[in-house]
Amino acid sequence: MAGLHARFAHRFGRSEPRERALDYLEGLVAPLEKKNGWTLAEQVGQLRPDGVQRLLNLSDWDENAVRDDVRDFVVETIGAKDAVLIADDTGFLKKGTKSAGVQRQYSGTAGRTENCQIGTFLAYASARGRALIDRELYLPASWTDDRDRCRAAGIDDEICFATKNEHFRRMLQRAIDAGVPFAWVTADEAYGQVKHTRFWLEQRKVAHVMATKVNDTVVTTGWAEARVDELIAALPRQRWKRLSGGPGAHGERVYDWARVAIRPCWEDGFGHWVLARRSVSDPTEIAYYVCYGPASSRLKDLVKVAAARWAVEECFQTAKGECGLDHYQVRLYRAWYRHITLSMAALAYLTAVRAQEATKGATQRTSKTSYPSASRRSAG
């Protein structure tokens, strides 16, 4: 952990918050049931959480620069040219009305409307691991229309309302500008059904597999407009292929998949498709995706990207379960970003350790397979 901390130690103007940040990180990965100000303070022998609260609320340090340092660390440890970037949001259940951005709103985490904050995230997934590399706090219009309420929560007047899709594009643009290596982008239908977002991705030649709603419309190869479910329903039975989207919590995630080409014109070597995923046990359960990528992309390539979306759910589960992502007790806007950034750093550290252990294990297995013992060689 000290090595990761050293990468962004210079972002802190004074030694006290610099050292406190390392304590905070080590507390976030410690085996504590709760990782709030009190428990993190006790973990390092402090009687009160004053130092922790000062780190998040008042200390002089650049949380956005630390975010970029964490992103660069993730790229160095698990980066790959064929990686997938995944956008998603998650809810943080809260009491009261004063925490920045809190209100009764739908939380996919809870599966219902709750009093909560919503964070939008960008995850990075490769064959070596997955981690969160960017974050934004969603501020409902009920907040941005009330500047006095915003100021009380530390939200500057220039911070305006932005949709979750705008957050997604903002985070993805930061990744592009930073030269983050990736091949594809994916997201659920809250992002994929927004045609402006898909057009924005195409303008930048960003290959994507975006989930969409059943009644979304696309332009066909014959210049007509058609619903995605109608295009898929017209496919002959032999166009469906049973493929695995990779291992899940309960084994291989096997579905039936099919795709159909769309758009009359393909340009610059890129193609367009509608992809469908059908449940094996219930054929009426079908999910739809709008895809854009290299014209040479195979069905299994699109399936792999669509299935990669679950990596962000695994990030949320690990970050909340092991890195205290949702254990914070802060109200101020900037304090939210600071806690979340340090929690993302803790997740990146665990991801790097696990990737290193996996590489070491693979090397040892290869060594044992390739180089038999001396006794076996002499016996031969």
Side-chain angles (χ1 to χ4, degrees):
M1 181 63 77
L4 172 56
H5 173 261
R7 297 174 67 100
F8 53 77
H10 63 288
R11 306 297 187 185
F12 297 83
R14 296 175 56 249
S15 60
E16 187 270 340
R18 184 183 309 125
E19 294 166 3
R20 186 75 64 188
L22 178 57
D23 290 341
Y24 199 91
L25 287 169
E26 292 177 341
L28 288 174
V29 297
L32 303 173
E33 183 177 354
K34 287 292 183 182
K35 299 177 181 181
N36 54 42
W38 284 97
T39 58
L40 293 178
E42 292 170 358
Q43 175 71 12
V44 295
Q46 301 295 318
L47 297 178
R48 294 183 55 80
D50 298 6
V52 169
Q53 293 171 350
R54 195 160 51 247
L55 172 70
L56 299 180
N57 291 304
L58 300 172
S59 296
D60 180 20
W61 59 283
D62 188 341
E63 61 276 6
N64 288 332
V66 173
R67 171 205 63 204
D68 294 345
D69 293 332
V70 171
R71 179 197 62 214
D72 294 345
F73 175 78
V74 169
V75 169
E76 288 181 22
T77 52
I78 65 168
K81 292 181 179 179
D82 62 349
V84 180
L85 291 177
I86 312 140
D88 202 0
D89 51 80
T90 189
F92 302 92
L93 300 182
K94 291 294 166 185
K95 296 179 180 179
T97 61
K98 296 184 178 180
S99 297
V102 70
Q103 73 166 24
R104 286 191 58 80
Q105 54 192 324
Y106 180 78
S107 167
T109 308
R112 58 186 181 274
T113 298
E114 290 281 0
N115 197 62
C116 65
Q117 295 168 299
I118 300 292
T120 309
F121 291 83
L122 191 66
Y124 188 90
S126 74
R128 299 192 64 202
R130 59 284 316 267
L132 301 172
I133 63 170
D134 210 339
R135 73 289 180 263
E136 292 284 357
L137 176 61
Y138 174 68
L139 297 176
S142 63
W143 273 82
T144 55
D145 290 345
D146 186 345
R147 299 319 304 187
D148 288 337
R149 188 185 188 193
C150 283
R151 293 184 196 110
I155 303 169
D156 293 339
D157 288 349
E158 62 266 23
I159 297 175
C160 303
F161 174 76
T163 67
K164 295 166 192 171
N165 267 267
E166 288 172 324
H167 284 171
F168 166 47
R169 295 194 293 268
R170 187 183 302 168
M171 293 187 293
L172 183 54
Q173 189 63 58
R174 284 198 287 259
I176 293 170
D177 292 343
V180 172
F182 70 96
W184 294 85
V185 168
T186 189
D188 69 16
E189 68 177 61
Y191 302 88
Q193 68 179 330
V194 179
K195 293 183 179 181
H196 176 69
T197 292
R198 300 200 305 250
F199 178 69
W200 184 92
L201 292 169
E202 286 185 31
Q203 283 183 309
R204 288 154 182 78
K205 291 186 170 53
V206 174
H208 55 269
V209 176
M210 304 289 280
T212 194
K213 56 187 178 180
V214 63
N215 62 346
D216 194 7
T217 58
V218 294
V219 177
T220 70
T221 55
W223 294 99
E225 187 175 43
R227 285 175 46 138
V228 294
D229 59 339
E230 293 173 348
L231 283 174
I232 294 299
L235 291 176
R237 186 174 59 183
Q238 58 268 30
R239 292 285 294 275
W240 290 90
K241 306 296 181 185
R242 187 156 296 177
L243 298 169
S244 171
H250 305 289
E252 292 291 322
R253 290 174 288 152
V254 177
Y255 293 92
D256 292 328
W257 298 83
R259 68 171 177 174
V260 58
I262 57 173
R263 302 280 192 89
C265 300
W266 288 8
E267 299 176 348
D268 302 322
F270 281 76
H272 307 260
W273 304 268
V274 168
L275 174 71
R277 186 196 71 204
R278 188 176 67 190
S279 170
V280 174
S281 59
D282 181 4
T284 64
E285 184 182 309
I286 304 177
Y288 301 91
Y289 306 81
V290 177
C291 312
Y292 166 82
S296 58
S297 299
R298 301 162 296 179
L299 174 62
K300 65 179 183 180
D301 297 326
L302 303 182
V303 168
K304 183 179 179 180
V305 179
R309 194 186 71 78
W310 297 106
V312 71
E313 300 292 347
E314 294 173 2
C315 284
F316 290 150
Q317 182 178 2
T318 302
K320 290 181 177 182
E322 300 182 37
C323 304
L325 187 74
D326 58 345
H327 293 190
Y328 59 88
Q329 294 177 324
V330 297
R331 290 181 175 178
L332 297 182
Y333 182 72
R334 192 175 186 186
W336 183 90
Y337 277 91
R338 288 179 163 187
H339 167 80
I340 296 297
T341 300
L342 292 175
S343 181
M344 286 166 49
L347 176 63
Y349 167 76
L350 294 182
T351 298
V353 169
R354 289 163 182 164
Q356 186 177 37
E357 290 176 349
T359 301
K360 187 185 300 183
T363 301
Q364 291 174 345
R365 289 192 298 272
T366 302
S367 177
K368 290 178 181 179
T369 302
S370 303
Y371 303 101
S373 66
S375 59
R376 286 182 59 194
R377 291 199 301 270
S378 60

